[in-house]
Amino acid sequence: MDSSRSTMQRPRSQEQASTNSWIEKRQMKEHQRIQEKKIKAEQISKHLEQKKYRILEQVLSVLPVLHYSALLVPKDLLGSGLVALPYSFVELYNLVNKVRGYSNEESDENSNGEVVICLLTGSVLRSGTPRRSHLRQKNPPGACTLHARKVGSGVGIFFLVQKCIVLLVDSNKSAYSPSLYVDENGEEDLGLKRGRPLFLNEARLQTLEALWRNNGIPREVTQIRSTSDRVIRDNWY
């Protein structure tokens, strides 16, 4: 009788092992299918991103006087508050260099200033230069300060292209913030002195977006200025 039980248990064990093996294979196939879907989605997203910037370059080549804000898609449409930026800094630099027309805030006294991109609207400005001596104000507000008043109630986030650094503005005060573009080692190249390839750092971008959404720019400007050895002159930008 014991031998008959053993004989009955053996097929059951084999059946259970076969079932487990089938389940494992099914799970592996499902996992593989999910991974393939993720990879395909990433490839499609990357392709669309590259296609978008190829289209932008084509538009720029045909209409060289277009304003940069017309070429950037606000990430608000994708659930974020800042404009979309190219992954490669070279792409951004080339796009900006192709732009011939700047914002209305540009005038003779700041035409030689630094090229600046508003990360809230995509506007390209020139700012950060001494004003003409005939102006009555001792320190008249710069283009970034005026632009921030217009679009952000005095608060703004800008990217200084030549310096490759972020500029935070709160009223007439401003402060430098870490660059959004870093090299493969995660290091910045302030002033573009080393000439290494730079790429958009998503973690830094998300941190900056969170700061903007939580109304933390004024506090951040105050904190940076209070801990810096050198501070930016009021109204400079």
Side-chain angles (χ1 to χ4, degrees), residues 61-146:
S61 64
V62 177
L63 302 173
V65 188
L66 274 179
H67 192 270
Y68 192 60
S69 59
L71 304 174
L72 286 176
V73 180
K75 292 183 73 176
D76 238 350
L77 300 176
L78 305 176
S80 171
L82 305 184
V83 296
L85 293 172
Y87 178 66
S88 169
F89 177 77
V90 173
E91 291 183 43
L92 176 67
Y93 195 86
N94 289 338
L95 281 172
V96 173
N97 280 343
K98 288 180 180 178
V99 176
R100 296 295 180 265
Y102 293 94
S103 297
N104 295 329
E105 288 90 346
E106 183 182 29
S107 56
D108 292 339
E109 63 267 16
N110 60 18
S111 59
N112 294 322
E114 301 174 47
V115 177
V116 184
I117 301 172
C118 174
L119 297 182
L120 301 178
T121 65
S123 299
V124 173
L125 319 171
R126 283 189 180 272
S127 192
T129 183
R131 308 298 181 268
R132 287 187 171 184
S133 57
H134 70 267
L135 295 175
R136 293 183 179 181
Q137 282 182 276
K138 186 176 181 181
N139 292 315
C144 289
T145 302
L146 294 174

Side-chain angles (χ1 to χ4, degrees), residues 148-187:
R149 290 178 185 175
K150 181 187 294 186
V151 303
S153 300
V155 176
I157 308 176
F158 301 88
F159 186 77
L160 308 182
V161 179
Q162 283 94 340
K163 280 189 171 68
C164 194
I165 197 170
V166 171
L167 177 76
L168 305 179
V169 173
D170 176 35
S171 186
N172 64 335
K173 309 289 184 184
S174 58
Y176 297 125
S177 185
S179 177
L180 296 176
Y181 286 88
V182 297
D183 63 19
E184 59 182 4
N185 298 318
E187 297 179 355

Side-chain angles (χ1 to χ4, degrees), residues 194-233:
R194 292 182 296 170
R196 294 182 179 178
L198 302 174
F199 306 98
L200 186 65
N201 185 291
E202 288 292 338
R204 294 190 178 195
L205 180 61
Q206 290 174 9
T207 299
L208 189 61
E209 290 170 346
L211 195 66
W212 164 253
R213 288 186 173 280
N214 295 324
N215 301 316
I217 300 298
R219 182 180 65 255
E220 188 74 6
V221 170
T222 300
Q223 182 176 348
I224 293 173
R225 289 174 65 90
S226 66
T227 56
S228 299
D229 296 332
R230 299 175 63 184
V231 296
I232 301 172
R233 185 190 309 171

